């Protein structure tokens, strides 16, 4: 047991120190600080250290003393962790045993440079950033390389009109291989990953997985492994691998005539890649599926796709490249990045063999394997990511393990009660590049797990039936508010830009009666549980007050629109000032226009009308041409009348 505990500590310390990547200077400074603090503790408590007693015994030579110091230092380092754990309490040992799972959970949240808005610390309360990268190969040389690869596909590869077609890079001719490699290592792909991973991450191609791929012209017939692409799925199995990711990049080589769109529920985006578009996503974690839409063209039948002129018709096939890259922090790339790259290549080879064996099943057994094996496992595996999220699973497992080792349900209860508040506030504040689908999934999971426990505790200790009214009224108001906003609007769809609606003008009940009815309703319901259950009042007296306090903190954030940008009320004030300024300018313009008209009329009466171009510049009203024409007519009329009248005789004073 002591060996296992020591291994857990050393493993966790090694992983965290490697991920921190302190450098030699910081590492040596940490060792020196540790020794200094240790000696300070011995001095403060008046303890005699083993080192001061044993180093350099009497009569020993200088060389023997130096050798003894080194040997004793190594011995101390070797036994330090086991001796510390041997003296530790049972609770401390339980925490130590849970460290590897906790590190694994943290490593599944800290996958990207932007995994946390606050740097190194990543976890379930941090905003979930979008892991879908979108780029474009638009340079002339890149477009030529794409054209080369498509010509090879149609002229040499001759894709099947019935099923998908695949070619490894090694199966292409020299010209096509060179074009493929230029795209893989080109500046566009490097720039694309630079938007997600900073200099402390290392990104390298996974050439053993790269391929040329053609979608089937049209689905039909018996179940086959091709159906997996039309099913929401995750491509790879290594969803819990720490720190590292393998990205699959779909590069479109043509106009996507069949109109095949790829949907990414976590990113809340649907895209039909065409003409050099690049879609990059996590091979082992990102759910996606494809659909065929007439928006991009009518899918041809198999017979049409096999027609003699198929090569000339760009609408008959959808040809793409599948590029792959592994990304991991530079400090752990040597272990995590390279190992994940190796495992991904081997998995891809094995799965490709199974896929090809079931792509056109010719027996009941093959059909069963394709339908229940490939497709069935894909659906079940994807359900974990779709409804829970792989990183969230590691968090709940880590917390459950710690609670079990400590034999304390309170640990699990308090560690799972307040996650959604942290995610609410961090996401509301950040807003940029948030994976909306992931955010909705996570907060629904966190809130469900929290409320199930809260309601169970309330029900087991219910001693005041009147509290049911408060609970029902509170959640009733909250549900009504959700209906008024819609599910996406409820979960910041407006603030995150996925719902086109001005939330300040929601007039449905309960917004017509209460401000912030959703949060207020939740607070009333939770306080009702607290007051109506002896278990919550006595055994967990802080649980409900903490819920209410965090809800009120988030309400304050919403009321003052605290986020990384301009609050809506300030934006409204700026817009109002801008509108007021524009109105004043328009009024001044109209006033000047009126004065110009008067001046023109006066000048016309005097028989000296100004030049038309000057008047046109001065008449800034809505119809300066009409005013100018009217003024000119008036001027001519007055001048003509003046010529007909006799001159006016002036009297001398």
């Amino acid at each position: 047991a002591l060996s296992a505990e020591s291994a857990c500590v050393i493993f966790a310390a090694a992983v965290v120190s490697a991920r921190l990547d302190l450098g030699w200077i910081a590492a040596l400074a940490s060792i020196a600080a540790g020794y200094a603090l240790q000696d300070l503790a011995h001095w403060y408590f008046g303890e005699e250290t083993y080192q001061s007693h044993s180093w350099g015994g009497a009569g020993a030579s200088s060389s023997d003393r130096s050798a003894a110091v080194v040997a004793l230092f190594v011995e101390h380092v070797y036994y330090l962790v086991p001796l510390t754990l041997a003296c530790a309490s049972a609770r401390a040992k339980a925490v130590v045993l849970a460290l590897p799972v906790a590190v694994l959970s943290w490593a599944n949240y800290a996958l990207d440079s932007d995994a946390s808005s606050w740097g190194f610390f990543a976890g379930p309360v941090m905003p979930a950033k979008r892991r879908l990268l979108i780029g474009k190969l638009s340079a002339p040389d890149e477009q030529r390389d794409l054209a080369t690869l498509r010509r090879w596909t149609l002229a040499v590869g001759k894709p099947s009109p019935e099923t998908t077609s695949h070619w490894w890079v090694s199966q292409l001719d020299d010209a096509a291989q060179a074009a493929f490699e230029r795209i893989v290592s080109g500046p566009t792909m490097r720039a694309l990953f630079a938007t997600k991973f900073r200099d402390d991450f290392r990104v390298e191609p996974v050439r053993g997985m790269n391929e040329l791929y053609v979608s089937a012209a049209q689905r039909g017939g018996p179940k086959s492994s091709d159906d997996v692409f039309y099913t929401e799925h995750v491509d790879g199995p290594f969803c819990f691998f720490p720190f590292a990711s393998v990205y699959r990049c779909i590069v479109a080589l043509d106009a996507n005539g069949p109109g095949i769109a790829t949907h990414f529920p976590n990113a809340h985006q649907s895209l039909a890649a065409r003409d050099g578009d690049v879609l990059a996503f996590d091979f082992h974690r990102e759910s996606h599926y494809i659909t065929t839409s007439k928006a991009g063209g009518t899918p041809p039948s198999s017979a049409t796709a096999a027609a003699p002129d198929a090569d000339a018709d760009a609408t008959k096939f959808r040809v793409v490249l599948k590029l792959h890259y592994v990304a991991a922090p530079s400090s752990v790339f040597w272990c995590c990045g390279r190992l994940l790259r190796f495992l991904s290549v081997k998995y891809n080879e094995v799965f490709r063999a199974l896929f090809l064996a079931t792509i056109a099943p010719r027996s009941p057994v093959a059909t069963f394997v394709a339908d229940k094996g490939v497709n069935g496992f894909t659906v079940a595996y994807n359900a974990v990511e779709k409804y829970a999220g792989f990183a969230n699973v590691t968090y709940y497992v880590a917390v459950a393990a710690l609670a079990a080792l400590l034999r304390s349900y309170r640990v699990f209860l308090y560690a799972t009660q307040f996650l959604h508040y942290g995610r609410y506030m961090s996401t509301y504040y950040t807003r940029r590049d948030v994976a909306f689908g992931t955010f909705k999934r996570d907060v629904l999971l966190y809130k469900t797990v929290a409320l199930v426990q809260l309601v169970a505790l309330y029900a087991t200790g219910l001693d005041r039936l009147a509290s049911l009214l408060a609970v029902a009224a509170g959640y009733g108001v909250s549900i009504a508010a959700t209906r008024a906003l819609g599910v996406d609007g409820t979960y910041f769809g407006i603030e995150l830009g996925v719902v086109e609606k001005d939330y300040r003008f929601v007039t449905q009940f309960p917004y017509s009666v209460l401000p912030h009815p959703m949060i207020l309703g939740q607070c009333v319901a939770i306080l009702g549980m607290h007051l109506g259950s002896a278990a919550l009042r006595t055994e967990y007296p802080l649980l409900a007050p903490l819920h209410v306090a965090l809800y009120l903190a988030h309400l304050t954030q919403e009321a003052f629109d605290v986020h990384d940008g301009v609050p809506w009320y300030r934006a409204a004030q700026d817009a109002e000032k801008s509108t007021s300024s524009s109105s004043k300018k328009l009024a001044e313009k109209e006033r000047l226009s009126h004065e110009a008209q008067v001046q023109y009329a006066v000048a016309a009466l005097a028989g000296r009308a100004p030049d038309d171009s000057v008047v046109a510049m001065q008449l800034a009203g809505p119809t300066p041409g009409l005013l100018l024409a009217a003024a000119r007519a008036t001027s001519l009329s007055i001048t003509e009348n003046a010529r007909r009248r006799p001159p006016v005789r002036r009297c001398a004073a």
Side-chain angles (χ1 to χ4, degrees):
L2 189 60
S3 298
E5 293 165 359
S6 300
C8 290
V9 170
I10 294 171
F11 168 80
V15 170
V16 173
S17 61
R19 179 63 184 88
L20 284 172
D21 194 19
L22 295 176
W24 285 106
I25 296 177
L28 292 174
S30 298
I31 294 174
Y35 265 91
L37 292 172
Q38 175 183 271
D39 286 346
L40 182 63
H42 286 307
W43 170 81
Y44 181 80
F45 290 102
E47 298 174 344
E48 183 181 11
T49 65
Y50 183 62
Q51 288 181 194
S52 63
H53 180 73
S54 303
W55 283 14
S61 64
S62 176
S63 59
D64 292 340
R65 188 179 298 114
S66 299
V69 167
V70 173
L72 193 60
F73 175 79
V74 173
E75 184 179 345
H76 276 199
V77 170
Y78 183 79
Y79 287 109
L80 179 62
V81 173
L83 286 172
T84 303
L85 291 173
C87 301
S89 65
R91 286 182 173 271
K93 292 180 180 179
V95 172
V96 163
L97 289 175
L99 278 177
V101 186
V103 170
L104 177 66
S105 175
W106 164 63
N108 271 270
Y109 286 103
L111 291 170
D112 310 318
S113 296
D114 59 355
S116 168
S117 300
W118 292 274
F120 176 73
F121 301 99
V125 299
M126 300 302 179
K129 294 301 186 74
R130 188 165 46 237
R131 308 196 74 228
L132 171 64
L133 310 180
I134 303 172
K136 181 81 172 180
L137 294 169
S138 56
D141 55 340
E142 294 172 333
Q143 288 290 319
R144 283 194 296 270
D145 287 337
L146 295 180
T148 298
L149 289 166
R150 192 171 197 282
R151 281 195 302 271
W152 183 95
T153 303
L154 299 178
V156 182
K158 298 189 181 302
S160 167
E162 301 286 348
T163 61
T164 57
S165 302
H166 309 254
W167 298 273
W168 299 113
V169 177
S170 59
Q171 296 176 269
L172 309 181
D173 62 25
D174 292 343
Q177 286 188 35
F180 204 113
E181 180 58 31
R182 283 193 293 270
I183 292 172
V184 168
S185 56
T188 298
M189 299 307 300
R190 291 198 301 269
L192 179 65
F193 284 100
T195 62
K196 187 68 175 176
F197 301 101
R198 294 192 297 265
D199 293 339
D200 58 332
F201 272 72
R202 186 171 168 183
V203 181
E204 290 187 358
V206 184
R207 292 182 171 84
M209 296 174 66
N210 291 344
E211 62 179 285
L212 192 57
Y213 168 85
V214 180
S215 302
Q218 188 179 53
R219 285 198 304 157
K223 287 284 186 179
S224 73
S225 52
D226 263 347
D227 292 308
V228 72
F229 299 113
Y230 294 86
T231 305
E232 188 174 335
H233 66 283
V234 176
D235 288 323
F238 303 117
C239 52
F240 302 117
F241 203 90
F243 295 120
S245 303
V246 166
Y247 270 76
R248 166 166 281 179
C249 305
I250 303 297
V251 181
L253 270 63
D254 49 38
N256 190 2
I260 294 177
T262 308
H263 308 272
F264 300 92
N266 287 352
H268 199 73
Q269 282 189 276
S270 299
L271 301 158
R274 54 173 59 90
D275 298 326
D277 288 338
V278 182
L279 309 179
F281 55 92
D282 194 325
F283 180 78
H284 296 290
R285 295 179 177 90
E286 191 77 29
S287 294
H288 62 285
Y289 63 97
I290 66 173
T291 58
T292 302
S293 169
K294 291 185 178 181
T298 303
S301 64
S302 299
T304 304
D309 64 342
D311 290 357
D313 191 347
T315 67
K316 292 179 179 178
F317 291 103
R318 176 210 184 215
V319 186
V320 301
L321 306 180
K322 290 186 177 180
L323 315 181
H324 300 83
Y325 298 82
V326 61
S330 301
S331 56
V332 295
F333 189 90
W334 62 274
C335 55
C336 296
R338 289 177 178 173
L339 180 57
L340 182 59
R341 176 168 56 189
F342 172 79
L343 294 174
S344 299
V345 170
K346 295 305 176 185
Y347 163 78
N348 201 47
E349 292 173 354
V350 172
F351 186 79
R352 168 60 60 79
L354 175 62
F355 180 84
L356 293 177
T358 56
I359 196 171
R362 299 179 181 178
S363 67
V365 174
T367 302
F368 177 83
V369 172
D371 187 19
K372 306 301 180 184
V374 176
N375 297 330
F377 177 77
T378 297
V379 172
Y381 180 75
N382 180 75
V384 179
E385 172 63 17
K386 182 176 182 179
Y387 297 109
F390 298 128
N392 294 329
V393 170
T394 62
Y395 176 80
Y396 283 111
V397 169
V399 172
L402 181 60
L405 290 168
L406 292 173
R407 297 178 182 178
S408 171
Y409 169 64
R410 290 176 181 270
V411 172
F412 185 85
L413 176 67
Y414 281 98
T416 57
Q417 280 292 297
F418 313 111
L419 297 176
H420 51 295
Y421 302 116
R423 181 65 70 85
Y424 286 154
M425 289 187 275
S426 64
T427 301
Y428 189 94
Y429 181 82
T430 302
R431 301 191 182 185
R432 291 190 301 274
D433 296 326
V434 171
F436 184 65
T438 303
F439 167 67
K440 278 201 308 181
R441 179 202 66 195
D442 289 353
V443 293
L444 282 170
L445 174 69
Y446 300 159
K447 192 170 183 178
T448 299
V449 172
L451 283 181
V452 165
Q453 297 177 87
L454 195 62
V455 170
L457 292 173
Y458 169 65
T460 56
L462 180 61
D463 58 354
R464 297 175 183 174
L465 295 178
S467 64
L468 290 170
L469 295 175
V471 174
Y475 283 124
V477 170
S478 183
I479 292 171
T482 300
R483 290 187 62 185
L485 286 177
V487 176
D488 287 351
T490 298
Y491 291 102
F492 306 150
I494 300 159
E495 290 82 355
L496 298 178
V498 300
V499 175
E500 294 183 2
K501 188 175 182 181
D502 193 337
Y503 64 96
R504 287 170 286 167
F505 294 98
V506 177
T507 56
Q508 291 175 254
F509 176 83
Y511 285 91
S512 58
V513 179
L514 295 171
H516 300 280
M518 195 174 302
I519 293 179
L520 293 178
Q522 297 271 0
C523 290
V524 169
I526 291 172
L527 288 175
M529 291 186 197
H530 179 75
L531 296 175
S533 173
L536 289 175
R537 291 195 308 272
T538 58
E539 296 181 34
Y540 306 98
L542 295 178
L543 195 60
L546 284 173
H547 273 284
V548 173
L550 289 170
Y551 260 131
L552 293 179
H554 180 48
L555 186 149
T556 303
Q557 182 187 30
E558 283 193 351
F560 292 96
D561 200 25
V562 179
H563 73 279
D564 188 16
V566 180
W568 69 264
Y569 57 87
R570 289 186 183 174
Q573 291 172 357
D574 293 342
E576 186 177 350
K577 289 179 181 178
S578 177
T579 303
S580 176
S581 176
S582 299
S583 299
K584 290 179 180 178
K585 288 181 180 179
L586 181 60
E588 180 65 15
K589 205 172 184 181
E590 292 176 349
R591 185 185 66 79
L592 292 174
S593 176
H594 177 70
E595 290 180 356
Q597 296 173 38
V598 172
Q599 291 174 6
Y600 192 97
V602 170
L605 288 172
R608 44 186 177 78
D611 183 70
D612 288 352
S613 61
V614 177
V615 176
M617 294 175 61
Q618 292 179 333
L619 296 178
T623 55
L626 293 176
L627 293 174
L628 180 59
R632 291 185 62 189
T634 303
S635 174
L636 291 173
S637 176
I638 293 173
T639 304
E640 185 64 24
N641 291 334
R643 287 174 181 170
R644 293 177 181 175
R645 289 198 305 266
V648 177
R649 295 185 179 273
R650 296 184 179 273
C651 298

